[in-house]
Amino acid sequence: MVESTKNATLSFDGKTLELPMYSPTSGPDVIDISKLYAQGDVFTHDPGFTSTSSCESSITFIDGEKGELLHRGYPIDQLAEKSHYLEVCYLLLYGELPTAAQLEDFETRVTRHTMVHEQMHNFFRGFRRDAHPMATMVGVVGAMSAFYHDSTDITDPWQREVAAIRLIAKLPTIAAMAYKYSVGQPFVYPRNDIDYASNFLRMCFAVPAEEYEVNPILSRAMDRIFTLHADHEQNASTSTVRLASSSGANPFACIAAGIACLWGPAHGGANQACLEMLQEIGSVDRIPEFIARAKDKNDPFRLMGFGHRVYKNFDPRAKVMKQSADEVLDLLGVENNPILQVAKELEAQALADPYFAEKKLFPNVDFYSGIILEAMGFPTSMFTPIFAVSRTIGWVSQWKEQISDPKMRIGRPRQLYTGSGARDYVDVENR
Ligand code: CMC
C-alpha cells in the first residue's frame, strides 16, 4: 500500500474531516474516502465511477489525455511491435518480461492445457445452433467450474495458478468451438506444434476434409488483436470480474461474469455493432445522413467504434490496429471492399467534423479490429468472443492480484435512495 503523503480537508454541515491522500506512480492523486461514512455519516455519489478509484493495482496504466497505455510500465505500441501475445500474458500475470527459459516453460504450460474436457462437447450440444457465440461462451466458461474442481479453491495459490493457465489456454478453444457449433461443422482439436494465434485460426477455419495452412500475416494480425485487447485497467468487465471475485466466487464463475459484461455494445460488443453500422450505411453517399443522426440529440444513434471513456485525444491501440488493417487488406486484396470504403470515408468525415473534434471523439480500437476480422472471414457474431479471448489474461491477472491482496473485502457500493419512504402494506382488495 502506498503511504499517505498529505490530506484533503472536507467541510460540510459544520463538520471538517481530514481525508488521507495518496500519490500513485503515475496519474492523478487519490483521496481516500473509505472512512467517510464512519466519520462523517455521508456517502459519495459517482454514477459511472468517473472519479472513483476502486482498487490499488500495479498492472496497467492509462493516460487518457496523452493516449498512453502501459502494461507493467511497457508502452502498448512497443509490445505490439516487438513482443507477442503469450509474452504479454506472462508480463501481465507475473509482472516482468520473461527470460527465454521462463517464456518457453510458460508457453509449454499454456499449450498443454488447450484441450477441454471431452465431456464439455456435450455441453455445447445443449445450445441451439443459432445461439450467439457470446451466450455459449458465458455458459461454457461458467461451466468450467463444474469440470475443473481441482482449481476452484481460491485460497490455494497453486490452484489459482492452474486456474489462470487453464483459462488462458482454453478460452480460444471454447470460442472456436462456439463458432464451429454455430456453423454446423465438427470441432477442431488444438495442436501443440503451432503458436497460440495460429492455433485459434486453425480451430476456427480448418475442416477435417482438407489440410489447413495458417498464413503468417494473418496469424500475426490475430496475435496483434489479442495483444492490443489484453488488458485495459478497471474497465466495466474487469470491474465486474473483481466485484464477482470479491465475494469469494471461483475464477471460472468470475470470468464468465466478465464475458457477460463485455458483451454490451458500449463495451466489447462495439466491434460487432460497428461493423453492422458500416453495413447499414452501405455506401459512401449515405455517410452524411448517419453523421447527422449521431449529432442529433433527439436520436439515440451513436457512431459505433467512436469515442472512449478514458482516451480523449487518441486510442493508442487504434493506431497500431489501423496499420494491421492495412497489411491484412493488402494481403487479401480487398482494398475495394465497400465496407472498408465506407469505414475510411466515415473516419475522414467524422474527424473533420467540429462536433466530433469538440467532444474529442475519434475511432477507437474496435473500429479497426472489426475491419480486420471481417476481412479474415469471421462473422460479426465472433468479434466480441475474440475480444473475450484476448481480455481473459487481463481479467485473470487482475483477479489474481485482487485475491493476493490482504485488504480484499467484498465490494458493496452504496446508493442515493430516491424511492418511497416507509409505508404500510395495503391488502389487495383495498388498493
Ligand atoms: N457518437 C456520437 N456522439 C457520441 C459518441 C458517439 N460514438 N460517443 C459519445 N458521444 C457524445 C455524447 O452524446 C455526449 O454528448 P453530450 O455531451 O452533448 O451529451 C458526449 O459525446 C460524451 O458522451 P458520454 O456518453 O458521456 O461519454 P462516455 O465516456 O460515457 O462514453 C463510450 C464512452 C465509449 C461509451 C461512448 O463514446 C460510446 O457509446 N461510443 C460508441 C460505442 C463504442 O465504440 N464503444 C467502444 C469503446 S472502446 C472498447 C472498449 O474499451 O470496450
Side-chain angles (χ1 to χ4, degrees):
M1 176 75 189
V2 281
E3 291 296 315
S4 169
T5 47
K6 53 191 170 184
N7 284 348
T9 308
L10 178 69
S11 301
F12 60 97
D13 293 345
K15 298 178 198 167
T16 299
L17 297 179
E18 293 294 317
L19 304 170
M21 291 184 71
Y22 309 116
S23 296
T25 322
S26 308
D29 285 352
V30 169
I31 301 173
D32 181 347
I33 53 153
S34 56
K35 302 277 186 317
L36 192 58
Y37 178 48
Q39 293 172 358
D41 199 26
V42 287
F43 298 146
T44 54
H45 185 56
D46 183 17
F49 307 113
T50 48
S51 305
T52 298
S53 140
S54 61
C55 62
E56 195 179 321
S57 180
S58 55
I59 300 175
T60 290
F61 173 73
I62 300 173
D63 185 327
E65 295 301 323
K66 280 205 249 166
E68 185 177 65
L69 167 60
L70 307 177
H71 291 322
R72 304 285 190 184
Y74 297 101
I76 189 65
D77 50 334
Q78 290 184 26
L79 294 173
E81 190 62 41
K82 299 183 179 169
S83 182
H84 62 274
Y85 183 67
L86 279 189
E87 187 176 69
V88 172
C89 287
Y90 185 101
L91 175 69
L92 288 168
L93 200 54
Y94 302 114
E96 295 296 336
L97 286 169
T99 62
Q102 286 168 330
L103 182 59
E104 193 186 336
D105 171 64
F106 181 68
E107 289 185 335
T108 305
R109 280 190 292 143
V110 171
T111 306
R112 293 278 155 82
H113 278 90
T114 46
M115 286 204 303
V116 296
H117 194 293
E118 195 65 11
Q119 222 174 313
M120 283 187 105
H121 291 213
N122 302 334
F123 195 76
F124 276 89
R125 294 194 172 102
F127 285 91
R128 282 171 55 135
R129 289 273 179 199
D130 60 358
H132 193 291
M134 282 299 274
T136 311
M137 282 182 77
V138 172
V140 174
V141 173
M144 285 176 80
S145 41
F147 286 93
Y148 301 104
H149 295 148
D150 57 346
S151 50
T152 52
D153 178 358
I154 59 164
T155 60
D156 177 349
W158 173 245
Q159 293 203 26
R160 297 205 295 261
E161 175 69 18
V162 175
I165 297 292
R166 280 185 170 146
L167 281 157
I168 300 160
K170 294 187 201 307
L171 258 286
T173 313
I174 291 171
M177 288 171 82
Y179 171 58
K180 284 300 201 192
Y181 185 73
S182 72
V183 291
Q185 291 181 3
F187 297 135
V188 175
Y189 285 87
R191 274 184 37 183
N192 288 355
D193 59 342
I194 53 177
D195 65 83
Y196 191 86
S198 304
N199 216 350
F200 178 65
L201 287 172
R202 190 176 168 279
M203 288 189 288
C204 288
F205 295 124
V207 288
E210 59 189 29
E211 289 303 316
Y212 179 81
E213 283 277 319
V214 183
N215 183 306
I217 295 183
L218 297 189
S219 156
R220 175 77 188 136
M222 193 74 246
D223 190 87
R224 272 197 172 168
I225 288 179
F226 288 155
T227 302
L228 292 173
H229 288 88
D231 191 41
H232 217 223
E233 51 119 305
Q234 309 312 321
N235 57 84
S237 57
T238 302
S239 298
T240 301
V241 170
R242 280 189 179 257
L243 197 55
S245 147
S246 76
S247 74
N250 76 68
F252 306 112
C254 296
I255 302 304
I259 296 173
C261 176
L262 186 76
W263 195 357
H267 192 9
N271 49 17
Q272 171 170 355
C274 175
L275 210 93
E276 285 168 358
M277 176 194 73
L278 296 175
Q279 284 162 347
E280 193 191 344
I281 297 174
S283 61
V284 168
D285 55 308
R286 294 193 65 208
I287 291 173
E289 177 196 327
F290 281 81
I291 289 195
R293 283 187 61 197
K295 288 157 52 174
D296 181 355
K297 285 286 136 230
N298 298 317
D299 188 332
F301 174 77
R302 285 186 169 201
L303 282 189
M304 287 292 133
F306 278 76
H308 199 274
R309 166 61 64 82
V310 179
Y311 296 122
K312 295 300 175 194
N313 281 312
F314 66 93
D315 179 342
R317 304 166 301 169
K319 263 190 163 176
V320 186
M321 201 63 99
K322 183 173 162 58
Q323 191 193 328
S324 257
D326 291 341
E327 279 171 25
V328 169
L329 293 165
D330 271 358
L331 172 80
L332 299 176
V334 284
E335 306 93 311
N336 295 323
N337 176 333
I339 299 297
L340 175 70
Q341 281 173 2
V342 170
K344 280 198 163 154
E345 190 53 31
L346 179 66
E347 179 194 20
Q349 289 191 26
L351 288 176
D353 191 305
Y355 172 92
F356 293 91
E358 272 159 29
K359 295 195 182 300
K360 300 188 170 181
L361 300 169
F362 47 83
N364 56 47
V365 65
D366 290 327
F367 185 77
Y368 300 107
S369 65
I371 295 168
I372 299 177
L373 295 173
E374 144 97 2
M376 281 179 174
F378 283 104
T380 50
S381 60
M382 275 303 286
F383 291 7
T384 316
I386 289 169
F387 191 161
V389 170
S390 328
R391 184 54 57 85
T392 295
I393 182 57
W395 293 329
V396 166
S397 305
Q398 302 264 352
W399 163 80
K400 214 163 155 247
E401 179 181 73
Q402 179 190 21
I403 301 274
S404 326
D405 183 349
K407 291 188 309 303
M408 181 178 98
R409 303 174 71 193
I410 189 165
R412 178 43 172 105
R414 308 307 286 247
Q415 64 176 0
L416 170 61
Y417 178 67
T418 54
S420 165
R423 46 184 170 164
D424 289 327
Y425 181 80
V426 180
D427 291 328
V428 68
E429 60 273 18
N430 297 327
R431 284 176 218 159

